[in-house]
Amino acid sequence: MESLVSPGLVISLIIVAVGVFVIAKGLVIIRQSEVMVIERLGSFNRVLESGINIIIPFIERPRPISMIRYMRMGEEYHPVSTDEIRIDRRETVMDFPGQPVVTTDNVTVNINGALYYQIIDPRRAVYEVANMSQAVEVLAKTTLRSVVGKMELDKLFESRAEVNSAIQAEMEEAASKWGVKLTRVEVQDISMPEEVEEAMRLQMAAERKRRATVTEAEGEKSAAIAMAQGQRESSILNAQGDKESAILRAQGEQESIRLVLNAIGDSEENKRTVVGYLLGQSYIKALPTMAKDGERVFVPYESSALLGSMGMFRELAGSPEDAVRDALSRDGLRGGMVASAGNS
């Protein structure tokens, strides 16, 4: 019985199958933002960009890159190492575990940081360093210890942005040799021993209390200054008012004496009589006030003499008011002006 399948057909099928396999192995589709490093017979040949690419099976092969990533399980980080033939050129974040760091004031703190980087030269990332991600991680940890070790604890909390910038600046030169660009470094968390944290809380409470005391003292100082200025201005105004009032009273008394002397004559005897009369009026006005202060009133000796002068004045000239009135009447002045001169 003759075979239904000829040897030629079998060979053709085998050739077709091999061709399909070769095409399948040689056809490589690269996604956007990914690249692939191709080696030909063990040496670097080219870098495949995104799109459809063809390689020669068994002669050309992709070179994998070793990557270490951390998976967080609860409070612990577990490293996971992988060999990847497709190199991601997007920005990647590396969240590495917290590291103990000693500051210049001998305080040990645990710092948890995050590193953002991007592979810009896949060839260097594969051939210039054995494990690119591990190298970047170790470099970040050592640089972090170096930068933070130069600072005090209080300065560390106040200058996180400066710490991030300093770490990034020191890492850029080394990372650029590996074809990696550091976009930014962030200090996420700073943990301290409990006794140091308690001491900082007490220090902060004392500082707030000091600021409150200073603010209260400054407020009291400002209030006292304002009150003193107000009292000073009030005293000045009162003094000015008393001065003007005394001047006006003196001017009124001067005008009264002048009118009386003009009426009765300005001889020395008349001047003494008028002055005694005016002083007697002042004593008489003060008697009611003196009587209010006690049951007994002691009249000074000089007052009796003044009162006697007033009586003598009335006996000789009637009264200063009458003398003024008569003199002004002789001069042809009106009675209303005479009355006002007598009252003054």
Side-chain angles (χ1 to χ4, degrees):
M1 183 178 179
E2 295 182 357
S3 176
L4 298 177
V5 180
S6 62
L9 180 59
V10 173
I11 294 174
S12 299
L13 292 175
I14 293 174
I15 294 174
V16 171
V18 171
V20 172
F21 177 76
V22 169
I23 293 173
K25 292 290 291 183
L27 186 63
V28 179
I29 299 177
I30 307 297
R31 292 182 296 180
Q32 185 69 30
S33 73
E34 290 183 349
V35 295
M36 185 180 292
V37 177
I38 301 299
E39 292 181 340
R40 178 178 293 176
L41 300 176
S43 62
F44 173 76
N45 181 259
R46 65 187 184 277
V47 176
L48 301 182
E49 300 291 342
S50 60
I52 299 176
N53 298 272
I54 298 176
I55 61 174
I56 303 175
F58 309 109
I59 297 177
E60 296 178 346
R61 58 184 296 271
R63 174 68 181 264
I65 183 173
S66 298
M67 300 291 293
I68 294 180
R69 292 183 173 85
Y70 286 91
M71 296 183 61
R72 186 170 183 176
M73 298 180 180
E75 297 296 330
E76 297 182 355
Y77 289 84
H78 298 275
V80 177
S81 179
T82 58
D83 291 335
E84 302 175 2
I85 61 175
R86 297 175 182 269
I87 301 175
D88 195 342
R89 301 187 64 175
R90 295 176 297 178
E91 186 176 357
T92 306
V93 58
M94 178 185 294
D95 187 5
F96 52 86
Q99 300 297 313
V101 182
V102 181
T103 60
T104 54
D105 46 356
N106 296 324
V107 178
T108 302
V109 294
N110 197 51
I111 299 179
N112 182 19
L115 177 66
Y116 296 83
Y117 67 93
Q118 183 180 9
I119 299 176
I120 57 176
D121 191 343
R123 180 179 178 180
R124 287 188 177 184
V126 172
Y127 292 103
E128 297 294 334
V129 61
N131 191 315
M132 186 274 299
S133 60
Q134 185 179 13
V136 171
E137 176 190 351
V138 175
L139 179 62
K141 292 178 180 179
T142 56
T143 306
L144 178 64
R145 292 192 182 98
S146 175
V147 172
V148 176
K150 301 176 184 178
M151 306 176 66
E152 295 182 355
L153 183 62
D154 294 338
K155 184 67 175 179
L156 177 60
F157 284 99
E158 297 174 359
S159 309
R160 290 198 180 189
E162 296 180 7
V163 173
N164 298 337
S165 300
I167 295 174
Q168 182 176 352
E170 292 192 16
M171 291 182 62
E172 280 182 351
E173 183 178 357
S176 62
K177 297 179 181 179
W178 305 331
V180 178
K181 177 183 178 182
L182 299 177
T183 55
R184 60 185 181 276
V185 180
E186 299 289 343
V187 175
Q188 299 185 85
D189 187 25
I190 301 176
S191 301
M192 300 174 294
E194 293 182 0
E195 59 273 12
V196 176
E197 189 173 356
E198 180 65 22
M200 291 189 66
R201 280 198 294 266
L202 294 176
Q203 181 181 0
M204 292 174 62
E207 179 65 19
R208 293 192 185 98
K209 185 176 180 181
R210 184 190 69 83
R211 292 179 181 176
T213 303
V214 171
T215 304
E216 183 178 359
E218 290 179 351
E220 293 178 354
K221 175 183 176 182
S222 301
I225 292 174
M227 184 179 296
Q229 291 178 347
Q231 292 177 352
R232 175 177 175 272
E233 294 177 359
S234 176
S235 300
I236 292 174
L237 294 176
N238 290 334
Q240 291 178 349
D242 293 341
K243 176 184 176 182
E244 294 176 358
S245 176
I247 292 173
L248 292 176
R249 285 196 300 270
Q251 291 176 350
E253 293 176 356
Q254 181 183 6
E255 182 67 17
S256 176
I257 294 172
R258 187 183 64 80
L259 291 174
V260 173
L261 290 177
N262 289 336
I264 66 176
D266 57 352
S267 64
E268 293 296 329
E269 183 179 357
N270 290 337
K271 290 180 180 180
R272 287 194 297 270
T273 302
V274 171
V275 171
Y277 175 75
L278 294 176
L279 292 176
Q281 281 187 331
S282 299
Y283 273 110
I284 292 173
K285 291 179 181 179
L287 285 176
T289 304
M290 296 170 60
K292 292 180 181 179
D293 295 336
E295 297 178 354
R296 298 179 181 180
V297 178
F298 295 92
V299 179
Y301 173 77
E302 293 80 359
S303 63
S304 60
L306 292 172
L307 294 176
S309 299
M310 293 177 65
M312 182 180 64
F313 189 96
R314 290 182 179 273
E315 291 177 359
L316 293 175
S319 67
E321 293 86 348
D322 296 336
V324 172
R325 186 180 298 110
D326 294 340
L328 294 178
S329 298
R330 288 194 300 269
D331 294 338
L333 297 177
R334 291 180 301 176
M337 296 179 62
V338 173
S340 61
N343 292 332
S344 63

mmCIF file of all heavy atoms in Angstrom, residues 238-257 278 282 285 344:
data_model
loop_
_atom_site.group_PDB
_atom_site.id
_atom_site.type_symbol
_atom_site.label_atom_id
_atom_site.label_comp_id
_atom_site.label_asym_id
_atom_site.label_seq_id
_atom_site.Cartn_x
_atom_site.Cartn_y
_atom_site.Cartn_z
ATOM 1 N N ASN A 238 -4.522 120.247 80.126
ATOM 2 C CA ASN A 238 -5.064 120.845 81.350
ATOM 3 C C ASN A 238 -4.225 122.037 81.791
ATOM 4 O O ASN A 238 -4.768 123.071 82.221
ATOM 5 C CB ASN A 238 -5.113 119.803 82.464
ATOM 6 C CG ASN A 238 -6.166 118.737 82.206
ATOM 7 O OD1 ASN A 238 -7.150 118.991 81.505
ATOM 8 N ND2 ASN A 238 -5.968 117.545 82.755
ATOM 9 N N ALA A 239 -2.891 121.867 81.698
ATOM 10 C CA ALA A 239 -2.010 122.984 82.083
ATOM 11 C C ALA A 239 -2.230 124.189 81.178
ATOM 12 O O ALA A 239 -2.271 125.341 81.652
ATOM 13 C CB ALA A 239 -0.552 122.535 82.036
ATOM 14 N N GLN A 240 -2.356 123.917 79.876
ATOM 15 C CA GLN A 240 -2.614 125.023 78.950
ATOM 16 C C GLN A 240 -3.949 125.698 79.253
ATOM 17 O O GLN A 240 -4.081 126.929 79.201
ATOM 18 C CB GLN A 240 -2.592 124.513 77.511
ATOM 19 C CG GLN A 240 -1.202 124.101 77.035
ATOM 20 C CD GLN A 240 -1.218 123.548 75.624
ATOM 21 O OE1 GLN A 240 -2.281 123.289 75.074
ATOM 22 N NE2 GLN A 240 -0.038 123.367 75.059
ATOM 23 N N GLY A 241 -4.966 124.881 79.584
ATOM 24 C CA GLY A 241 -6.267 125.460 79.933
ATOM 25 C C GLY A 241 -6.196 126.288 81.202
ATOM 26 O O GLY A 241 -6.767 127.393 81.276
ATOM 27 N N ASP A 242 -5.464 125.758 82.228
ATOM 28 C CA ASP A 242 -5.321 126.523 83.473
ATOM 29 C C ASP A 242 -4.574 127.829 83.226
ATOM 30 O O ASP A 242 -4.906 128.878 83.786
ATOM 31 C CB ASP A 242 -4.579 125.683 84.508
ATOM 32 C CG ASP A 242 -5.402 124.472 84.945
ATOM 33 O OD1 ASP A 242 -6.634 124.497 84.741
ATOM 34 O OD2 ASP A 242 -4.802 123.504 85.465
ATOM 35 N N LYS A 243 -3.528 127.736 82.371
ATOM 36 C CA LYS A 243 -2.757 128.940 82.056
ATOM 37 C C LYS A 243 -3.631 129.993 81.389
ATOM 38 O O LYS A 243 -3.633 131.182 81.790
ATOM 39 C CB LYS A 243 -1.590 128.567 81.155
ATOM 40 C CG LYS A 243 -0.774 129.748 80.680
ATOM 41 C CD LYS A 243 0.309 129.302 79.717
ATOM 42 C CE LYS A 243 1.067 130.498 79.157
ATOM 43 N NZ LYS A 243 2.102 130.068 78.176
ATOM 44 N N GLU A 244 -4.375 129.572 80.379
ATOM 45 C CA GLU A 244 -5.236 130.521 79.681
ATOM 46 C C GLU A 244 -6.314 131.065 80.605
ATOM 47 O O GLU A 244 -6.657 132.266 80.556
ATOM 48 C CB GLU A 244 -5.856 129.850 78.456
ATOM 49 C CG GLU A 244 -4.834 129.471 77.392
ATOM 50 C CD GLU A 244 -5.456 128.716 76.234
ATOM 51 O OE1 GLU A 244 -6.685 128.472 76.296
ATOM 52 O OE2 GLU A 244 -4.716 128.376 75.281
ATOM 53 N N SER A 245 -6.860 130.196 81.474
ATOM 54 C CA SER A 245 -7.889 130.659 82.413
ATOM 55 C C SER A 245 -7.320 131.669 83.397
ATOM 56 O O SER A 245 -7.946 132.694 83.701
ATOM 57 C CB SER A 245 -8.470 129.461 83.163
ATOM 58 O OG SER A 245 -9.401 129.870 84.137
ATOM 59 N N ALA A 246 -6.098 131.375 83.913
ATOM 60 C CA ALA A 246 -5.485 132.321 84.854
ATOM 61 C C ALA A 246 -5.196 133.649 84.184
ATOM 62 O O ALA A 246 -5.383 134.728 84.783
ATOM 63 C CB ALA A 246 -4.194 131.711 85.416
ATOM 64 N N ILE A 247 -4.726 133.577 82.931
ATOM 65 C CA ILE A 247 -4.448 134.816 82.205
ATOM 66 C C ILE A 247 -5.715 135.625 82.012
ATOM 67 O O ILE A 247 -5.749 136.858 82.207
ATOM 68 C CB ILE A 247 -3.784 134.506 80.856
ATOM 69 C CG1 ILE A 247 -2.370 133.941 81.078
ATOM 70 C CG2 ILE A 247 -3.710 135.753 79.974
ATOM 71 C CD1 ILE A 247 -1.702 133.461 79.807
ATOM 72 N N LEU A 248 -6.808 134.960 81.633
ATOM 73 C CA LEU A 248 -8.068 135.668 81.427
ATOM 74 C C LEU A 248 -8.586 136.268 82.727
ATOM 75 O O LEU A 248 -9.098 137.407 82.760
ATOM 76 C CB LEU A 248 -9.103 134.713 80.817
ATOM 77 C CG LEU A 248 -8.813 134.249 79.384
ATOM 78 C CD1 LEU A 248 -9.852 133.226 78.942
ATOM 79 C CD2 LEU A 248 -8.818 135.442 78.420
ATOM 80 N N ARG A 249 -8.452 135.513 83.863
ATOM 81 C CA ARG A 249 -8.887 136.045 85.148
ATOM 82 C C ARG A 249 -8.057 137.270 85.545
ATOM 83 O O ARG A 249 -8.569 138.270 86.043
ATOM 84 C CB ARG A 249 -8.796 134.971 86.224
ATOM 85 C CG ARG A 249 -9.904 133.928 86.145
ATOM 86 C CD ARG A 249 -9.992 133.133 87.441
ATOM 87 N NE ARG A 249 -8.734 132.440 87.710
ATOM 88 C CZ ARG A 249 -8.453 131.218 87.300
ATOM 89 N NH1 ARG A 249 -9.366 130.547 86.591
ATOM 90 N NH2 ARG A 249 -7.305 130.662 87.616
ATOM 91 N N ALA A 250 -6.742 137.142 85.325
ATOM 92 C CA ALA A 250 -5.875 138.280 85.666
ATOM 93 C C ALA A 250 -6.205 139.497 84.811
ATOM 94 O O ALA A 250 -6.216 140.637 85.308
ATOM 95 C CB ALA A 250 -4.398 137.878 85.484
ATOM 96 N N GLN A 251 -6.446 139.256 83.534
ATOM 97 C CA GLN A 251 -6.813 140.366 82.668
ATOM 98 C C GLN A 251 -8.133 141.006 83.111
ATOM 99 O O GLN A 251 -8.300 142.236 83.071
ATOM 100 C CB GLN A 251 -6.919 139.900 81.223
ATOM 101 C CG GLN A 251 -5.572 139.528 80.603
ATOM 102 C CD GLN A 251 -5.717 138.981 79.201
ATOM 103 O OE1 GLN A 251 -6.840 138.703 78.754
ATOM 104 N NE2 GLN A 251 -4.594 138.817 78.510
ATOM 105 N N GLY A 252 -9.102 140.144 83.541
ATOM 106 C CA GLY A 252 -10.369 140.687 84.021
ATOM 107 C C GLY A 252 -10.188 141.505 85.284
ATOM 108 O O GLY A 252 -10.771 142.598 85.435
ATOM 109 N N GLU A 253 -9.375 141.005 86.246
ATOM 110 C CA GLU A 253 -9.132 141.751 87.483
ATOM 111 C C GLU A 253 -8.387 143.054 87.184
ATOM 112 O O GLU A 253 -8.650 144.099 87.789
ATOM 113 C CB GLU A 253 -8.351 140.883 88.458
ATOM 114 C CG GLU A 253 -9.144 139.691 88.962
ATOM 115 C CD GLU A 253 -8.308 138.797 89.865
ATOM 116 O OE1 GLU A 253 -7.092 139.090 90.018
ATOM 117 O OE2 GLU A 253 -8.859 137.811 90.395
ATOM 118 N N GLN A 254 -7.428 142.966 86.247
ATOM 119 C CA GLN A 254 -6.701 144.177 85.878
ATOM 120 C C GLN A 254 -7.638 145.231 85.300
ATOM 121 O O GLN A 254 -7.559 146.414 85.631
ATOM 122 C CB GLN A 254 -5.600 143.833 84.872
ATOM 123 C CG GLN A 254 -4.773 145.018 84.436
ATOM 124 C CD GLN A 254 -3.741 144.630 83.378
ATOM 125 O OE1 GLN A 254 -3.735 143.497 82.913
ATOM 126 N NE2 GLN A 254 -2.897 145.571 83.011
ATOM 127 N N GLU A 255 -8.529 144.780 84.450
ATOM 128 C CA GLU A 255 -9.491 145.712 83.851
ATOM 129 C C GLU A 255 -10.429 146.278 84.908
ATOM 130 O O GLU A 255 -10.768 147.474 84.903
ATOM 131 C CB GLU A 255 -10.285 145.003 82.760
ATOM 132 C CG GLU A 255 -11.275 145.876 82.033
ATOM 133 C CD GLU A 255 -10.581 146.954 81.195
ATOM 134 O OE1 GLU A 255 -9.357 146.810 80.929
ATOM 135 O OE2 GLU A 255 -11.250 147.919 80.792
ATOM 136 N N SER A 256 -10.824 145.453 85.903
ATOM 137 C CA SER A 256 -11.694 145.913 86.981
ATOM 138 C C SER A 256 -11.001 146.979 87.822
ATOM 139 O O SER A 256 -11.584 148.032 88.148
ATOM 140 C CB SER A 256 -12.107 144.726 87.845
ATOM 141 O OG SER A 256 -12.865 145.154 88.954
ATOM 142 N N ILE A 257 -9.728 146.726 88.187
ATOM 143 C CA ILE A 257 -8.968 147.694 88.989
ATOM 144 C C ILE A 257 -8.798 149.000 88.220
ATOM 145 O O ILE A 257 -8.923 150.111 88.759
ATOM 146 C CB ILE A 257 -7.622 147.096 89.398
ATOM 147 C CG1 ILE A 257 -7.841 145.919 90.353
ATOM 148 C CG2 ILE A 257 -6.721 148.135 90.048
ATOM 149 C CD1 ILE A 257 -6.572 145.143 90.671
ATOM 150 N N LEU A 278 -10.631 144.451 96.991
ATOM 151 C CA LEU A 278 -10.678 143.237 96.172
ATOM 152 C C LEU A 278 -10.252 142.013 96.963
ATOM 153 O O LEU A 278 -10.839 140.933 96.836
ATOM 154 C CB LEU A 278 -9.783 143.412 94.933
ATOM 155 C CG LEU A 278 -10.249 144.475 93.938
ATOM 156 C CD1 LEU A 278 -9.219 144.627 92.812
ATOM 157 C CD2 LEU A 278 -11.610 144.122 93.356
ATOM 158 N N SER A 282 -12.380 138.489 97.992
ATOM 159 C CA SER A 282 -11.908 137.106 97.862
ATOM 160 C C SER A 282 -12.095 136.344 99.164
ATOM 161 O O SER A 282 -12.507 135.184 99.178
ATOM 162 C CB SER A 282 -10.431 137.102 97.452
ATOM 163 O OG SER A 282 -10.260 137.745 96.210
ATOM 164 N N LYS A 285 -15.796 135.504 99.609
ATOM 165 C CA LYS A 285 -16.210 134.389 98.747
ATOM 166 C C LYS A 285 -15.711 133.061 99.281
ATOM 167 O O LYS A 285 -16.343 132.023 99.066
ATOM 168 C CB LYS A 285 -15.684 134.607 97.330
ATOM 169 C CG LYS A 285 -16.346 135.767 96.607
ATOM 170 C CD LYS A 285 -15.763 135.938 95.219
ATOM 171 C CE LYS A 285 -16.405 137.116 94.498
ATOM 172 N NZ LYS A 285 -15.823 137.318 93.133
ATOM 173 N N SER A 344 -17.490 143.461 87.673
ATOM 174 C CA SER A 344 -16.150 142.935 87.498
ATOM 175 C C SER A 344 -15.271 143.299 88.694
ATOM 176 O O SER A 344 -14.296 142.652 88.920
ATOM 177 C CB SER A 344 -15.515 143.502 86.228
ATOM 178 O OG SER A 344 -15.377 144.919 86.324
#
